[in-house]
Amino acid sequence: VSGKMCTEYTVKNTEENTQIVYWITTEKYDFFVQLVKLWNRKDKQSIYFNQIKDMPKGSMPMLSVETTLDAKAQVSKLEVIKIEKKTIEANNVAVPSDFKKFEQ
């Protein structure tokens, strides 16, 4: 996917009639798992991803598709369509001085 070698992971939840298939690369994306936990998002794509045990270091999904268990209806899809290696200046990723933590 997007030129990266990936491993397919499928997470199912029968109570929610949901399955999500992730195609995950294990290159140099050490930030991703930490970022998903930090965001603490409540969407199924994030919640189910956090349930995958023993995720290798550097893992990041290049594609994930959420469907009903019978796979007849696609609910959501996230896909990396472009990867660009470049240096980002520190001031572009600094936490703003007026930042306020939001929790639900």
Side-chain angles (χ1 to χ4, degrees):
V1 179
S2 295
K4 303 293 181 185
M5 182 67 81
C6 297
T7 301
E8 182 180 329
Y9 291 80
T10 301
V11 180
K12 297 180 182 183
N13 185 319
T14 55
E15 291 176 13
E16 295 182 350
N17 188 33
T18 301
Q19 88 172 1
I20 302 179
V21 180
Y22 299 91
W23 285 267
I24 298 174
T25 189
T26 55
E27 293 192 14
K28 297 177 183 176
Y29 302 105
D30 296 334
F31 67 91
F32 187 79
V33 171
Q34 295 173 20
L35 195 60
V36 171
K37 289 178 182 178
L38 175 69
W39 282 339
N40 196 27
R41 290 177 47 125
K42 303 302 180 198
D43 62 285
K44 290 181 184 177
Q45 293 269 357
S46 298
I47 292 169
Y48 288 28
F49 179 80
N50 283 326
Q51 299 301 312
I52 300 173
K53 302 244 187 263
D54 302 320
M55 184 64 58
K57 185 175 179 168
S59 295
M60 184 171 99
M62 295 286 110
L63 173 65
S64 57
V65 179
E66 176 185 352
T67 63
T68 55
L69 279 176
D70 61 10
K72 289 186 178 179
Q74 181 174 306
V75 178
S76 67
K77 176 180 176 181
L78 297 172
E79 182 176 8
V80 173
I81 56 172
K82 181 179 178 184
I83 298 173
E84 182 178 342
K85 185 176 182 174
K86 66 180 183 177
T87 301
I88 298 174
E89 302 213 11
N91 63 341
N92 288 331
V93 294
V95 176
S97 59
D98 62 344
F99 171 78
K100 292 183 174 107
K101 187 173 182 180
F102 175 76
E103 293 186 44
Q104 287 185 311

